[in-house]
Amino acid sequence: MDYYTLWTHQIKTPIAAGSLLVQDLTDPDAKKQLGQEFFKIESYVNLVLQYLRLESFHDDLVLKKENLEDLVKEVVKNMLFSLSRKV
């Protein structure tokens, strides 16, 4: 289990580097498509991290009040690549 946790944390560095390189692209279509793919990859890595944390979720569990509107805005902002994709 520790191996997978370490791997998921380590893979986030090249994902972040790739995402930064995408920002420098001049072709808007390529920039959008690669940005979407990097977003998907990062989402899958975060999904794995969440799964790995399930075994120790009681250590991470913090109950507090949150502003639902702020949370929804943050999620929508993070999902813009997926929401703006052409169908």
Side-chain angles (χ1 to χ4, degrees), residues 29-43:
D29 289 333
K31 186 175 185 173
K32 182 177 179 180
Q33 289 176 345
L34 284 171
Q36 288 173 345
E37 296 307 315
F38 271 103
F39 177 78
K40 288 180 201 175
I41 293 167
E42 188 172 17
S43 296

Side-chain angles (χ1 to χ4, degrees), residues 6-82:
L6 178 63
W7 183 88
T8 51
H9 281 288
Q10 292 296 321
I11 199 67
K12 289 178 84 99
T13 301
I15 292 170
S19 295
L20 288 174
L21 291 172
V22 167
Q23 292 178 7
D24 289 339
L25 292 176
T26 56
D27 180 0
D29 289 333
K31 186 175 185 173
K32 182 177 179 180
Q33 289 176 345
L34 284 171
Q36 288 173 345
E37 296 307 315
F38 271 103
F39 177 78
K40 288 180 201 175
I41 293 167
E42 188 172 17
S43 296
Y44 295 143
V45 169
N46 286 330
L47 185 66
V48 171
L49 280 172
Q50 292 300 323
Y51 175 76
L52 292 170
R53 289 181 183 138
L54 282 177
E55 288 193 10
S56 64
F57 81 94
H58 58 278
D59 296 334
D60 294 335
L61 186 61
V62 176
L63 298 176
K64 63 180 183 176
K65 287 186 177 188
E66 289 287 343
N67 183 321
L68 185 59
E69 182 179 353
D70 291 342
L71 292 173
V72 170
K73 284 180 182 178
E74 183 178 338
V75 169
V76 169
K77 184 176 114 181
N78 290 333
M79 300 289 290
L80 281 178
F81 278 123
S82 295

